[in-house]
Amino acid sequence: MKKPYVFVTRTLPKKAIGQLQQLVELKMWPKEDVAVPRDILLEEARKCDALLTMLSDKIDSTIIDNAPNLKVVANLAVGFDNIDVEYATEKNIAVCNTPDVLTDTTADLTFGLLMATSRRLIEAADLVREGKWKSWSPLLLAGQDIHHKTIGIVGMGKIGETVAKRATGFEMDILYHNRSRNSEAENQLGAKYCSFDDLIETADFIVCLTPLTTETRNLFNAATFKKMKRSAIFINASRGPVVDEKALYNALVTGEIAGAGLDVFEVEPINADHPLLTLKNVVALPHIGSSSTETRITMMRLCCDNIEAVLTNNIPQTIVNKEWKQSGVN
């Protein structure tokens, strides 16, 4: 009997895919840090029973219509805005993601980005590395304190809640805005729910962790930055398109806000001549929120487990489109 065919859009380590590889015919795009070209993805989709994809792989109606045997798309991310989930559901294709397993790791990175931006750690490290540290001085690369300040979290899901937990160690006041109230964060962490406008006007650190939706696209725009404190630090570890990058650049250049820490961008990867990269008060990272070895391996294995479940007529652990039904599911 012919084995199911699975295409993986990046090269993944054998220890992450070994079990799945025994059950299927598996092919990987032979590069770890270069996206699979669209034409090759289309060609592979024609043969696929399953796709293991990255957030940068666009799985739209064209790909789906080109994949008559496709049963499951397992996305190596919590987010799934790169996939046309509604159309996949129409075609009876399961869409899976990797929630929960990366919560702590992403929260660590988010808070680390906040610290690096507010305390100017990258600037300081570069000063030493470039041989420009000539003497000690009272206000050498003086940044902003974090302790006893107010953090405002936009998007109080599991990652937001975990960032709030880290903020309690710095004795910060915690504000949050979300589509719905998070009673656990309020009761356990002392977080206070407020309107979006109140949050951006009050918080010293505004941390964006909201998913990308029609409503959140360009949520942080020129009007938003104008309402922030001039001393505010803006952190984005969610999705790039929730921010109007031109407005952010202008806000930083004109001093409307003090700094920004960014792990995500409107178009990724960004070019070295991107305007935001010219600013010393910007800390820019290459979308590494969940990138610890332990967490990424766990994410890869969860993707493989989800694929195996669907291909063996079982329910996957983390399915996005709950409406999906597969005949013969155990």
Side-chain angles (χ1 to χ4, degrees):
M1 183 176 176
K2 187 179 178 182
K3 289 182 176 181
Y5 185 77
V6 178
F7 182 66
V8 184
T9 64
R10 293 295 189 285
T11 295
L12 304 183
K14 188 172 178 63
K15 64 180 177 180
I17 61 167
Q19 181 175 323
L20 180 64
Q21 206 164 21
Q22 295 175 24
L23 303 172
V24 302
E25 181 186 349
L26 187 143
K27 182 178 178 181
M28 290 189 287
W29 173 241
K31 296 180 181 179
E32 183 181 348
D33 56 355
V34 177
V36 59
R38 177 78 172 178
D39 59 335
I40 292 177
L41 183 56
L42 278 164
E43 181 184 335
E44 291 295 339
R46 289 192 188 97
K47 304 177 283 184
C48 274
D49 295 280
L51 281 168
L52 197 164
T53 56
M54 309 297 124
L55 192 61
S56 54
D57 300 317
K58 192 170 182 62
I59 308 301
D60 54 16
S61 58
T62 303
I63 294 287
I64 292 170
D65 284 338
N66 202 55
N69 301 317
L70 188 61
K71 300 175 182 66
V72 55
V73 179
N75 214 38
L76 192 75
V78 173
F80 43 85
D81 46 89
N82 58 312
I83 301 170
D84 189 335
V85 177
E86 186 176 345
Y87 194 63
T89 305
E90 283 182 29
K91 296 294 185 178
N92 203 32
I93 297 166
V95 177
C96 302
N97 64 341
T98 58
D100 304 332
V101 296
L102 50 69
T103 299
D104 279 299
T105 302
T106 305
D108 286 349
L109 187 282
T110 303
F111 210 86
L113 185 54
L114 182 155
M115 295 177 69
T117 308
S118 60
R119 292 301 306 273
R120 304 175 65 182
L121 299 184
I122 306 302
E123 285 182 81
D126 287 346
L127 188 81
V128 175
R129 191 179 299 277
E130 294 167 6
K132 296 178 181 178
W133 182 28
K134 302 304 181 184
S135 67
W136 186 90
S137 60
L139 290 175
L140 176 65
L141 287 168
Q144 296 188 36
D145 281 334
I146 301 162
H147 59 273
H148 301 118
K149 295 289 185 68
T150 298
I151 186 171
I153 300 172
V154 180
M156 189 60 104
K158 291 182 179 179
I159 296 172
E161 188 177 332
T162 309
V163 169
K165 190 182 298 183
R166 276 114 178 98
T168 62
F170 287 78
E171 300 181 82
M172 302 180 83
D173 291 327
I174 303 166
L175 304 178
Y176 79 96
H177 179 74
N178 203 46
R179 283 178 298 181
S180 56
R181 298 283 287 266
N182 187 324
S183 57
E184 186 172 340
E186 292 179 17
N187 297 331
Q188 300 296 322
L189 304 172
K192 298 173 185 174
Y193 176 83
C194 64
S195 70
F196 180 72
D197 281 347
D198 283 347
L199 184 148
I200 61 174
E201 290 170 4
T202 306
D204 300 296
F205 300 93
I206 295 96
V207 178
C208 178
L209 290 164
T210 186
L212 176 62
T213 65
T214 304
E215 293 76 23
T216 63
R217 186 176 292 274
N218 283 339
L219 176 65
F220 290 90
N221 51 40
T224 309
F225 293 121
K226 277 188 172 71
K227 294 177 182 178
M228 294 181 185
K229 294 179 177 179
R230 294 182 72 84
S231 58
I233 301 286
F234 174 67
I235 304 296
N236 187 13
S238 59
R239 289 291 179 267
V242 302
V243 178
D244 179 337
E245 290 182 352
K246 290 181 181 177
L248 174 58
Y249 176 83
N250 290 334
L252 290 161
V253 168
T254 60
E256 284 181 354
I257 65 173
L262 309 170
D263 187 42
V264 290
F265 295 87
E266 208 168 347
V267 176
E268 296 178 355
I270 62 170
N271 294 323
D273 61 355
H274 192 292
L276 286 167
L277 300 186
T278 66
L279 305 179
K280 289 186 178 296
N281 55 348
V282 171
V283 175
L285 303 179
H287 203 150
I288 56 169
S290 62
S291 189
S292 71
T293 302
E294 300 94 329
T295 293
R296 285 285 170 88
I297 293 295
T298 302
M299 290 167 66
M300 293 170 196
R301 286 175 175 160
L302 178 55
C303 284
C304 291
D305 289 346
N306 283 330
I307 288 171
E308 181 179 342
V310 173
L311 295 182
T312 56
N313 292 324
N314 288 289
I315 300 292
Q317 293 180 47
T318 52
I319 186 159
V320 172
N321 49 345
K322 307 293 185 186
E323 308 88 349
W324 168 83
K325 301 288 183 189
Q326 181 168 331
S327 58
V329 166
N330 294 328

